[in-house]
Structure formats: structure tokens, C-alpha cells
Amino acid sequence: MIENEEPTLTHDASQIRVVTASFCAAAVRVPAQTSAARAAATGAEAGSRRGWASVGAVALGAFVIVMTETLPVGLLPEIADGLHVSLGLAGLMVLVPGFSAAVSAPLFFLGSGRFNRRSVIVVLGLTVLVSNAVVAVAPDFVLVLIARMIFGATLGAFWTVVSPVGPKLVGPAGGTRAITVIAAGISGGTVVGLPAGQFLGNLVGWRLTFAIAAAATLLVVVVQAVVLPGIPPDGRTHLRDLVGVVTRRAARFGMAAGAMVFIGQFAAWTYVTPFLMDHTQLSSGVISLLYVTYGIGGIVGSLIAGSLFKRGVIGSFAGAAAVVAALLIALASVGAIPWAAGLLLVLWGLFWGIVNPGTLVWILDAAPESPEAASAVNVTNLQIALAAGSGLGAILVSSTTLRAVFFTAGFIVLASAVLAVVAGRVVTLVRRG
């Protein structure tokens, strides 16, 4: 039996309220007819070049966020030596932001209801800049960890605001494509963050690498300040809105499938470097090149995803997750062959580029009238899953083998795909353009 939790609407009423809010005085109640007319005009304007340029500016923000998130991965040995801490302790630079993001996403959602999203995006970008700058000059590891904790809080707030902002900029008809363009910025950040960390760390040292990241963040913030229009908040920033998302069956299925696929993905991804070095016997230079191709594959996958999601979000997610599962299991099976491992890694990036935005579009379409609440729930859910996946990988590495990590991760991702197939039979989502 198919459960239609939300009817398919020609015009999303909540989006109409959001789009027209900037044109209305706060103390004046606008008649419904006038509001709809203004929404139509705004939607047409949003679909212009200015709207898509704004989506590009937001994608640049996603690029910088992910670059900053992944940058320490290639620098951990140098940071540990420079600050006289163990490698395990230095690894907290990667783990702490995830926990901060999981906590900050719902708190930010509840406390930011009155702020224009353009101002929020710019301020969050400046906070990332400050975090990178502090890491670059920090005299001890405690200050570095505080800076990364602040970055993590910014990360959670950023994804809460940015994830649903694409449809506001280009209108509902281009909403899904806008989300996938922003997701391409995530893959772009992966392309730069991992290999750049290794390359620049060897060339100029880890401190100057973070200083360069701060300078790049400043350039992106300037672009956003120039290009982004005013973006009113949803007006639905109450605890009941968060609860309302979680109580929907379609959203719960999406959260469960998303959590499982992230646990599997990051159990494997956290240990892909030692896998390629110790099992595949590749050099660090070749691995850096493979990271770039993985990220490029992710960009292509994210751009393809927009067209796939028009045919069905849950089905596209299930199919792409099943392929990712097969690729992880194949890596565990034939990953000792260098050319096979390289090919599988590129395909992994391509299909993960579809799965990743699929988790977001699924939950946004499950609660279309409160996208920021849905996004906050999604951020917390996936950040906890990411940490759980990394922890599972650590347990498996210490108790079994690297191949076992990839086998286990593959079957977890496969379980997510199976759950998505079940969800596709019992729930349906609001269709967007």
C-alpha cells in the first residue's frame, strides 16, 4: 500500500511564504491572493541568471566547508609532530567537528529563525575563515581543537541553512537541480581538500596550508556578499517543526537509510588510504591522484543526480547505493590489483555523488513545508552516522583486516539499498521540479 504523506502540489505553500517574505512589512498581513502573485513573480526572477549565479556562490561555500573539513586528513602526521601530540590525538581534528555539527544543527535551527539567510551564510563563511586562521597560528593543540570545534558548529549551521536554500534561489521548478549543483561543491571540496593537504603540507608546511585555506575562504565570502540576494528564513523554526519531521514515516525511512549508508561509506572511506597503501601497494602520489579522480567522479555524479531524481528520489538512491555496495565488496575482493582498485575508486566517487545528495532530497521532499527543520534533522542524523562509521572502521581495523572493513562496509550499504527499496513500496514523496 502506498502512503501519500504529502500530496503533490502545483505550488508549495510554504515556499510561497518564504519567497514573498522579503517583500512584506513584518507588521502587515498580506492577503493570500497577493502573496501567491508575488511568489510567482519572484519564482520567475529566481530562475534567472542571477538565481543560478547565487546557487553557484552557495556551491562555492560548500566547496570551502568540505575542503576545510577534509584538509587535516592529509596533514595529521605533520600536525602531530609540530604540536608534539600523538597521531591518535591529532585525529581529533577530524572527529570533533562532526560531533559539534551534530549538536549545533538543531540548536542553530531553533535560534536563527529571524535572521536573513544571506547574512547568515556570509557570517558563517567568516567564521570558517577565523577557524582556519587560528589553526594556522595556534601555539598548542588545545587552541587548534577549540578552533576545529567552532568550525564543526559552523558546519552544522551551514548545512542547516544551505541545504534547502537552492529552491529559494531558483524557484521550486529548479529546486532539485540546484540542490545537486550545491552537492557538486561538496565533491569539489573533496577533490581539493585531501590532495591539497598532502601536497601543500609537503611544500609549505601545515600552518601555511591552513593560512591559504583562510585566504580562499575570504575570496568565497566576498563573492557571496556580492552575488547573493536577500534570502528570508522559513518562518518555521520551532521544536515542533523538528518533531514534525521525525514523526513522518517517509522521513524516518530516509533517516534510517541515510544513516546506514553513511555508516558503511565512512567505515570504508576513513581507511581508504591505508587500504591503498598496504593492500594495493600504491605510492602516496598515485593515491593523491586517485583522490582527485574520485572527487571528479563525485562532481559528475552530483550533476547527473538532478535528472535521476526527477524520475524518483528513493529509486535513484536505492540503485546508486546498491552499486556503491557492490564497489566496496569488489574493492575488498580484487583491490590488490592496482588498475582494478583505481577503476573501482573512480566509480565509487561517481555513484556516491548520487547517493549523497539523495539523502538530502529524500528528507526535504518528505517534509516540504519545513525544509530547514528537515535539513537540521538530516545534518544531525548523518553526522552521528559518520562518526559511528569511522568508529566501526577503527574497531574492525584493530580486530580484523582492512579487507574485512570493506566487506563489512559494503554489506551495510547494501542493507541501506534494500531498506530504500522497501521504502519505495510503502511511502511516496512530494515531487519537485
Side-chain angles (χ1 to χ4, degrees):
M1 179 178 178
I2 301 295
E3 178 182 336
N4 288 298
E5 298 205 0
E6 293 291 337
T8 302
L9 303 178
T10 305
H11 298 286
D12 187 335
S14 67
Q15 299 240 5
I16 291 173
R17 285 197 300 273
V18 170
V19 170
T20 58
S22 63
F23 296 95
C24 307
V28 178
R29 186 175 297 277
V30 179
Q33 223 172 9
T34 304
S35 178
R38 291 183 179 181
T42 305
E45 181 182 347
S48 66
R49 292 182 181 178
R50 171 75 184 273
W52 284 105
S54 299
V55 170
V58 173
L60 283 175
F63 168 87
V64 163
I65 284 279
V66 175
M67 179 189 71
T68 299
E69 186 178 14
T70 59
L71 200 59
V73 173
L75 297 170
L76 287 181
E78 291 82 359
I79 294 171
D81 290 342
L83 295 175
H84 310 293
V85 297
S86 68
L87 188 61
L89 194 60
L92 291 176
M93 289 183 67
V94 180
L95 291 179
V96 163
F99 288 111
S100 297
V103 173
S104 71
L107 294 179
F108 177 84
F109 168 78
L110 294 172
S112 64
R114 294 176 295 176
F115 299 107
N116 188 285
R117 276 17 191 169
R118 175 188 180 275
S119 301
V120 168
I121 290 171
V122 170
V123 169
L124 291 175
L126 291 173
T127 307
V128 174
L129 186 159
V130 170
S131 171
N132 284 330
V134 170
V135 172
V137 300
D140 55 56
F141 186 69
V142 172
L143 189 55
V144 167
L145 211 55
I146 291 172
R148 292 295 289 179
M149 190 179 301
I150 293 171
F151 166 72
T154 304
L155 178 72
F158 180 84
W159 291 125
T160 298
V161 170
V162 163
S163 296
V165 87
K168 299 178 185 179
L169 293 171
V170 297
T176 297
R177 184 166 295 279
I179 291 171
T180 56
V181 169
I182 294 170
I186 299 173
S187 298
T190 304
V191 169
V192 173
L194 282 169
Q198 289 182 321
F199 175 76
L200 290 175
N202 293 330
L203 187 66
V204 299
W206 66 270
R207 290 188 183 276
L208 194 53
T209 298
F210 273 96
I212 293 170
T217 305
L218 177 61
L219 291 176
V220 171
V221 169
V222 170
V223 170
Q224 291 176 335
V226 171
V227 173
L228 289 178
I231 310 170
D234 283 347
R236 301 174 63 96
T237 55
H238 305 287
L239 182 59
R240 63 177 178 270
D241 299 312
L242 294 174
V243 174
V245 173
V246 177
T247 55
R248 292 169 182 256
R249 180 187 288 186
R252 291 198 303 271
F253 268 110
M255 290 172 63
M260 291 171 67
V261 81
F262 263 61
I263 289 171
Q265 165 75 9
F266 286 96
W269 180 250
T270 303
Y271 293 95
V272 68
T273 298
F275 179 88
L276 293 173
M277 292 184 71
D278 299 339
H279 186 67
T280 315
Q281 300 291 310
L282 297 178
S283 67
S284 59
V286 173
I287 292 172
S288 295
L289 180 62
L290 286 177
Y291 283 154
V292 172
T293 59
Y294 173 95
I296 292 173
I299 293 173
V300 174
S302 296
L303 297 177
I304 292 172
S307 299
L308 294 176
F309 293 160
K310 290 180 180 180
R311 302 176 183 178
V313 175
I314 297 178
S316 299
F317 173 93
V323 175
V324 170
L327 293 170
L328 293 175
I329 293 170
L331 268 170
S333 303
V334 299
I337 305 172
W339 69 265
L343 177 61
L344 291 169
L345 195 73
V346 174
L347 293 174
W348 182 9
L350 175 68
F351 284 93
W352 180 251
I354 299 170
V355 171
N356 190 26
T359 62
L360 173 62
V361 176
W362 184 337
I363 199 164
L364 289 179
D365 285 359
E369 77 291 343
S370 50
E372 288 188 359
S375 182
V377 169
N378 192 55
V379 170
T380 298
N381 180 53
L382 296 186
Q383 288 295 333
I384 292 173
L386 189 156
S390 297
L392 174 63
I395 293 171
L396 292 172
V397 163
S398 62
S399 59
T400 58
T401 65
L402 286 167
R403 290 184 68 217
V405 172
F406 278 76
F407 272 124
T408 304
F411 284 111
I412 293 173
V413 174
L414 182 61
S416 173
V418 172
L419 181 61
V421 171
V422 173
R425 294 180 177 275
V426 298
V427 300
T428 189
L429 302 175
V430 170
R431 289 189 179 274
R432 62 172 81 227

